[in-house]
Amino acid sequence: MRLIQTKTKDKKPYPRLKRIVERPSTKIILILLLIGLGFIGGVFAHKYKLTAKLRTAFGIVQSDLNDVAEVVENDIAQYSDNGLMNLYIDLPFESLEALSTKREEALEIGILNSEDEDFVPASIQLDGGAKIDVNVRLKGDWSDHYAGDKWSLRIEIDDDTQAFLGMRKFSIQAPETREFLNEWGYHQTLIQAGILTTRYHFINVTINGEYKGIYAVEESFTENLLESQGRREGILLRFDEDTMWANWSSFRSVGGEDFMLDAEEAGTFLVMDDDSADIAIFRGNRVEADPVLEAEAKTAVAMLRSFQKGDLQASEVFDVEKLGTFFAVTDLWAGSHATVWHNIRFYYNPITALLEPVGYDANPLTYYSVDVATFPYAIPDMFEDAEIQEAYVRAVERITGSQYLADLRESLEPEFLIYQEALSREYTSGLDAPWERLEIRRSMLEINLVPENAVRGGYERIWIDGKKYLQVDLINQMILPVQVNSLEVNGETLSLEKEWFTQTNESVFLDPDYSIPTLEPGEATNYKTYRFLIPYEWPEPAIEGEEDTFMVNAVANLVGGSQTAQVPLSEKIMSQGLEENPRPVQPTMDEFLNDHMYISKIDENTVIVQPGTWDVKGDLILPENVRLIIPEGTTLRFEEQTILFTTSPLSIYGSEENPVKLTSQITDWGGIVVLSAQEQSLWQFAIVENITSIAREGWILTGGITFYESSITLENVQIRNATSEDAINVVQSNFEFINSEFAFATSDAFDGDFTNGTIKNCSFHDIVGDGVDVSGSIVSISNSTFTNITDKAISVGENSNMEITTTVINSVGIGVAGKDLSQVSIIDSKISNAQVAGLAAYIKKSVFGPAKITAVNTSIEANTIALVQIGSTIIIDSEEMPSADIDVESLYEQGILGN
């Protein structure tokens, strides 16, 4: 039964009541009643002081109403007339609670772990349109997407018949998470260049009746993206990043707050990159349900996998022109964040059967500094394909053209200004127009197209079989291939011909364009010299005294580019390098024993020379981690310039009756090198003679015997007849010399660099250079003798500390010299027949300071007892010797102070 209210035409309701109210007597009674009630209310208000309280209450209510009205007016002003569309989102209480719980979990670890189960039901409405049922979850990897009041959301529409701005899947996020309008500009530039990208807009958002401000709307990876940009439906795929984020999330959840993206910095063992990541496709259910899409998906995944494995080159997998253009546009916007392996997306074009890049998430113009170039990008194998680099260069030439940026600005600025004005009502910074920064980027790229020295090289005029040639060496200095088509020789253009080309150590030829392949920065193994032998009747060099005006320039350009540059070449060909390291290669144990039959194996780490006299053929190079023992009664005779080399301890165990002897077969040999031995070497009762130093292709040692980072003890050892700069050189090692003799050296006998050690009961005699020369060292000498030494018996330099006790020095140039911040103490010793000075203290190297020598109970017989430069100090038995202004450099030049 329905209740219906009926009305009678012109009939007025309640006529009797109206007549009673309208009587004069009734009116008088009502007026008197109101006056009485007002009087009684006033009495009560006065008695209980309600007047002020009521006045205050009404004021508060009025103030709150004014504040609410102001907020409402501000919200309305922000979005009602800012020119943007309005998105209304209704989240049921349970959905909002689920999102809040997920948000708290993400904030705790700093990373959002999102799953399909996180979607909750909601509804959306665009302006006054129909409501659409959707599923919603939080979106964004890092906490900037959900830390504040503007949460980033992923929104999906299940109903195929409905869409939002032509999209069924999209995200909304605060504009600052993607650098405001810069991201929008990057997307529009990609679209204009024919490169796939997600659609990107700005819109007002209200959630459950509360205005949240302006959001960026970004399309997800569906068929709608492809259709909107003129592509046939196909497969969208990516490198799967889910494992990486799960690992990073686990790392942070246990306290890795200082976690960085770089796995090495993060301290996590799992390293995910484009080579190891799995491959995932978008819209998996839709693809599986369509046999055509499923077949295309298998092919797309297999192609990307083949690229990962290196079975296919980038140019065989990707659309070369589109990928090159993508890199160029990304470089213009300084947005290499879009090229990181877990950000870049791909589209399998079913017509071309190639993958195209889908660009987004660039954080442009601010993620990397504007004045820093971003190539070669985060996936080197993808960029370092010659065909893609060539396409990149062509694209860079287009976008650095005089009109490109002006046209881009003209096309984008009208919409940019609308968005800028709308956003400025909510944001006070980050909205500057990008045009000036883009011009900086454009200029940088333009300069890179024609660098001053894309190649470097040299030339030489040579004769071969009576004919004249120019030998030209060229090296590419770019990360891009460089093309050299001609040379300019004294102003004459000389085209290169393929048959003129050879490459050092390889029999290869240039391609018809004569391009020089790129070098990988920092990879010395790719350092290759490209050599041209060009028949050319070059003029004879100018006669002596006249200037030779012969000049050669290479005319070069980047492959794919049209702008050439002239690069002057020097009249000197470049070093061709070494075929092998000058330091000897250490053999295996078997190789070593086969080469030296007089040596036998004790165990895996020890070999021993059989007693007897042996002629060593070639170098005696010990295997790694193998100690050599030379027992008593052994003599090893070495060929000229050959050496004994080891990286393990060298043990010599002679006896007084049967010392070990290391000598030469003819005149001299290269000596002994012990490098980085982990344990001490001990030599007892040994004679090492006729040694000279090593000079092999730049491996030049000063010592006939060299111990580097290898401790050494000499007991009853004779080192004599050395023609090397130092008979023995100990560097960064501890040493101990006991009862040993150093004699007949043509230069220094012992040189110690940055060492700690002692010399006891040793004899140094008949030495042309210094007996002992140390720098940066702490050394003590006791009970030793120095006789017939042309230069300094003991030279102490470069901040060393030396203590000399009970030592006799006779017939020398200078007894003891202290230099360059060194401290020398001499006790109970004797210096006699010093030709230049008994003691000398001075500065040889200006980077150091003065030296100091203190002598106690030491007799000195010399024409000049003490030679002291002003600032340095010599004290003999508490008496400070006078100093003088000594020209040390001049005295060295005259040979007075030695070498």
Side-chain angles (χ1 to χ4, degrees):
M1 179 180 67
R2 290 187 298 171
L3 298 177
I4 302 175
Q5 179 180 348
T6 61
K7 294 183 179 180
T8 303
K9 187 176 182 181
D10 295 333
K11 186 176 182 180
K12 298 179 180 181
Y14 312 113
R16 185 179 179 188
L17 178 61
K18 183 174 184 295
R19 287 195 299 271
I20 293 174
V21 171
E22 289 178 346
R23 291 177 181 174
S25 57
T26 303
K27 291 180 180 179
I28 293 172
I29 292 171
L30 290 172
I31 291 171
L32 291 175
L33 181 61
L34 290 172
I35 292 172
L37 290 173
F39 176 76
I40 293 170
V43 170
F44 273 92
H46 177 74
K47 180 177 181 180
Y48 294 103
K49 299 180 181 180
L50 295 177
T51 305
K53 294 179 181 179
L54 288 171
R55 187 180 298 114
T56 300
F58 279 119
I60 292 172
V61 171
Q62 182 63 44
S63 175
D64 289 344
L65 288 173
N66 290 339
D67 291 343
V68 171
E70 183 178 354
V71 170
V72 171
E73 288 175 1
N74 287 341
D75 281 354
I76 293 172
Q78 278 189 322
Y79 74 88
S80 65
D81 61 349
N82 63 11
L84 304 182
M85 291 183 291
N86 302 287
L87 171 63
Y88 301 95
I89 302 176
D90 287 328
L91 284 167
F93 176 78
E94 293 81 3
S95 296
L96 185 60
E97 283 293 296
L99 293 179
S100 298
T101 300
K102 190 67 178 181
R103 173 177 177 266
E104 292 301 320
E105 172 192 306
L107 286 174
E108 184 175 348
I109 61 177
I111 292 177
L112 174 66
N113 289 320
S114 57
E115 300 173 334
D116 289 342
E117 291 74 16
D118 297 333
F119 278 103
V120 295
S123 65
I124 62 172
Q125 184 180 18
L126 179 62
D127 286 329
K131 283 192 174 183
I132 302 173
D133 290 333
V134 297
N135 293 313
V136 177
R137 67 166 173 82
L138 290 180
K139 175 262 179 189
D141 299 315
W142 300 109
S143 60
D144 60 323
H145 281 275
Y146 39 82
D149 192 42
K150 297 177 75 168
W151 303 352
S152 296
L153 299 175
R154 173 68 49 77
I155 301 173
E156 296 188 357
I157 303 170
D158 286 337
D159 189 345
D160 290 347
T161 66
Q162 294 181 306
F164 172 81
L165 296 177
M167 301 177 291
R168 290 182 48 248
K169 294 183 180 182
F170 60 95
S171 299
I172 63 171
Q173 54 208 4
E176 59 266 31
T177 62
R178 291 282 180 82
E179 306 302 337
F180 296 100
L181 286 160
N182 293 342
E183 184 79 15
W184 172 83
Y186 172 69
H187 284 241
Q188 309 318 305
T189 307
L190 287 176
I191 291 173
Q192 290 191 15
I195 305 302
L196 286 169
T197 185
T198 54
R199 285 175 282 180
Y200 203 86
H201 311 285
F202 295 96
I203 195 168
N204 298 309
V205 174
T206 298
I207 300 178
N208 288 354
E210 181 181 356
Y211 177 65
K212 292 294 186 179
I214 299 174
Y215 275 66
V217 179
E218 183 174 38
E219 183 175 17
S220 294
F221 298 93
T222 69
E223 67 275 11
N224 303 130
L225 180 155
L226 302 174
E227 294 164 355
S228 69
Q229 295 173 61
R231 299 296 200 284
R232 180 179 293 182
E233 184 175 3
I235 303 303
L236 290 164
L237 63 161
R238 63 183 172 94
F239 294 116
D240 194 338
E241 59 192 288
D242 295 347
T243 301
M244 177 192 72
W245 287 109
N247 180 59
W248 289 351
S249 175
S250 298
F251 186 86
R252 290 178 67 98
S253 67
V254 295
E257 290 85 0
D258 294 331
F259 170 82
M260 299 294 291
L261 286 180
D262 189 327
E264 294 180 1
E265 295 181 28
T268 171
F269 293 162
L270 180 66
V271 179
M272 294 293 296
D273 56 24
D274 58 293
D275 289 329
S276 60
D278 199 1
I279 297 170
I281 60 172
F282 292 93
R283 309 171 302 144
N285 293 336
R286 180 184 179 91
V287 170
E288 290 178 4
D290 187 320
V292 174
L293 290 178
E294 186 176 30
E296 291 174 352
K298 290 180 179 178
T299 299
V301 170
M303 287 177 65
L304 193 55
R305 180 76 70 206
S306 295
F307 167 72
Q308 278 185 309
K309 294 166 59 180
D311 296 336
L312 292 177
Q313 299 299 311
S315 55
E316 298 175 288
V317 173
F318 302 101
D319 187 306
V320 168
E321 291 301 322
K322 285 184 168 51
L323 190 56
T325 302
F326 166 69
F327 284 140
V329 170
T330 301
D331 223 355
L332 177 67
W333 281 89
S336 64
H337 188 253
T339 71
V340 176
W341 70 269
H342 53 82
N343 287 334
I344 195 168
R345 307 291 188 249
F346 306 102
Y347 160 64
Y348 175 71
N349 188 322
I351 298 176
T352 64
L354 294 171
L355 299 181
E356 299 180 18
V358 184
Y360 89 121
D361 195 7
N363 284 342
L365 292 179
T366 51
Y367 188 82
Y368 285 110
S369 176
V370 172
D371 59 355
V372 175
T374 54
F375 53 71
Y377 304 102
I379 308 179
D381 290 343
M382 192 178 296
F383 179 73
E384 292 174 359
D385 184 290
E387 290 187 39
I388 291 170
Q389 290 177 331
E390 184 174 348
Y392 166 79
V393 171
R394 285 195 293 269
V396 170
E397 279 204 343
R398 290 195 299 271
I399 68 176
T400 57
S402 59
Q403 196 60 33
Y404 177 86
L405 205 52
D407 291 343
L408 181 67
R409 177 173 181 175
E410 183 179 358
S411 65
L412 299 186
E413 194 161 44
E415 192 172 1
F416 174 87
L417 292 174
I418 292 173
Y419 285 146
Q420 185 185 49
E421 195 280 331
L423 287 165
S424 66
R425 303 187 184 194
E426 184 176 348
Y427 296 95
T428 59
S429 62
L431 304 179
D432 295 338
W435 317 122
E436 289 186 7
R437 286 169 289 169
L438 287 174
E439 174 56 30
I440 292 173
R441 299 290 303 170
R442 188 203 68 80
S443 298
M444 288 175 54
L445 291 170
E446 184 180 40
I447 292 171
N448 271 310
L449 287 175
V450 192
E452 291 186 6
N453 292 292
V455 297
R456 69 180 176 89
Y459 69 91
E460 185 176 28
R461 289 172 277 186
I462 63 174
W463 291 83
I464 299 178
D465 297 330
K467 294 182 179 180
K468 290 183 177 181
Y469 289 84
L470 282 179
Q471 180 170 290
V472 178
D473 289 350
L474 296 174
I475 289 178
N476 182 12
Q477 299 196 121
M478 303 289 288
I479 67 166
L480 300 164
V482 172
Q483 180 172 304
V484 180
N485 283 317
S486 64
L487 300 176
E488 286 193 355
V489 182
N490 277 359
E492 175 188 356
T493 299
L494 189 64
S495 296
L496 301 180
E497 296 184 18
K498 184 174 181 179
E499 58 268 23
W500 294 343
F501 172 78
T502 61
Q503 181 182 350
T504 303
N505 299 330
E506 293 187 26
S507 298
V508 299
F509 294 98
L510 286 176
D511 292 331
D513 60 4
Y514 314 112
S515 62
I516 300 177
T518 182
L519 300 177
E520 294 181 18
E523 292 291 334
T525 56
N526 288 325
Y527 185 100
K528 296 177 181 177
T529 302
Y530 292 81
R531 172 164 291 174
F532 297 86
L533 283 175
I534 305 170
Y536 185 75
E537 286 292 327
W538 42 263
E540 294 292 339
I543 63 174
E544 186 175 354
E546 293 185 6
E547 183 179 359
D548 188 353
T549 58
F550 192 76
M551 296 179 62
V552 179
N553 296 324
V555 181
N557 60 273
L558 296 181
V559 174
S562 61
Q563 303 177 62
T564 61
Q566 292 185 344
V567 181
L569 305 181
S570 64
E571 191 169 8
K572 181 180 180 182
I573 62 171
M574 290 175 287
S575 170
Q576 298 306 300
L578 299 172
E579 294 186 6
E580 60 183 24
N581 192 298
R583 171 174 159 171
V585 177
Q586 293 179 263
T588 65
M589 176 69 85
D590 289 341
E591 291 171 339
F592 175 76
L593 295 176
N594 287 336
D595 289 341
H596 306 285
M597 305 300 292
Y598 49 89
I599 298 178
S600 57
K601 176 180 174 182
I602 295 178
D603 54 40
E604 292 300 324
N605 300 112
T606 312
V607 295
I608 188 169
V609 180
Q610 300 171 24
T613 299
W614 307 102
D615 283 344
V616 180
K617 184 177 180 180
D619 292 333
L620 183 59
I621 310 300
L622 272 296
E624 289 189 44
N625 303 315
V626 174
R627 175 198 297 265
L628 175 65
I629 298 176
I630 307 177
E632 64 177 323
T634 300
T635 296
L636 295 180
R637 292 160 28 96
F638 290 84
E639 294 178 326
E640 189 173 3
Q641 294 299 310
T642 59
I643 63 173
L644 191 165
F645 177 90
T646 181
T647 54
S648 297
L650 173 61
S651 301
I652 301 177
Y653 300 133
S655 65
E656 186 172 4
E657 297 78 14
N658 293 299
V660 168
K661 189 173 184 180
L662 305 181
T663 187
S664 60
Q665 294 181 17
I666 304 176
T667 55
D668 55 28
W669 61 291
I672 301 170
V673 181
V674 181
L675 296 185
S676 304
Q678 298 299 310
E679 300 176 25
Q680 184 186 49
S681 294
L682 174 61
W683 295 6
Q684 295 175 323
F685 291 101
I687 300 170
V688 183
E689 64 183 8
N690 303 334
I691 49 177
T692 188
S693 54
I694 296 172
R696 297 184 178 183
E697 297 287 353
W699 189 39
I700 301 173
L701 303 182
T702 61
I705 301 170
T706 300
F707 278 84
Y708 175 77
E709 295 183 347
S710 305
S711 297
I712 174 63
T713 294
L714 306 182
E715 292 183 2
N716 299 292
V717 173
Q718 299 177 36
I719 298 175
R720 60 196 188 193
N721 298 322
T723 58
S724 52
E725 184 175 333
D726 308 311
I728 180 169
N729 183 204
V730 178
V731 184
Q732 297 180 20
S733 312
N734 295 329
F735 71 91
E736 187 175 18
F737 300 161
I738 304 170
N739 296 324
S740 294
E741 178 186 10
F742 305 83
F744 307 108
T746 60
S747 187
D748 296 346
F750 167 61
D751 190 305
D753 299 311
F754 313 106
T755 68
N756 292 336
T758 60
I759 300 174
K760 301 178 182 177
N761 302 319
C762 290
S763 170
F764 295 80
H765 65 88
D766 297 292
I767 297 165
V768 176
D770 298 332
V772 170
D773 182 4
V774 298
S775 58
S777 302
I778 300 174
V779 178
S780 66
I781 301 175
S782 62
N783 300 317
S784 296
T785 61
F786 294 80
T787 308
N788 295 329
I789 297 175
T790 305
D791 202 344
K792 297 173 282 290
I794 301 172
S795 177
V796 187
E798 297 179 20
N799 200 24
S800 293
N801 193 303
M802 171 82 76
E803 182 179 79
I804 304 168
T805 59
T806 57
T807 291
V808 176
I809 299 172
N810 182 40
S811 298
V812 296
I814 296 174
V816 178
K819 304 169 290 183
D820 303 332
L821 274 179
S822 294
Q823 303 282 323
V824 184
S825 173
I826 308 172
I827 303 172
D828 298 331
S829 297
K830 181 179 181 180
I831 300 173
S832 59
N833 297 321
Q835 301 300 312
V836 177
L839 305 175
Y842 51 88
I843 298 174
K844 181 180 180 182
K845 298 181 180 180
S846 58
V847 294
F848 294 95
K852 182 178 181 180
I853 299 176
T854 302
V856 176
N857 195 27
T858 296
S859 65
I860 302 174
E861 298 177 4
N863 294 329
T864 300
I865 300 297
L867 183 66
V868 189
Q869 186 184 37
I870 293 175
S872 293
T873 305
I874 293 179
I875 299 175
I876 301 175
D877 292 330
S878 301
E879 180 182 352
E880 183 171 345
M881 299 293 101
S883 60
D885 186 8
I886 299 173
D887 188 344
V888 172
E889 184 176 354
S890 175
L891 293 179
Y892 268 100
E893 290 176 353
Q894 298 174 51
I896 296 174
L897 292 181
N899 299 321

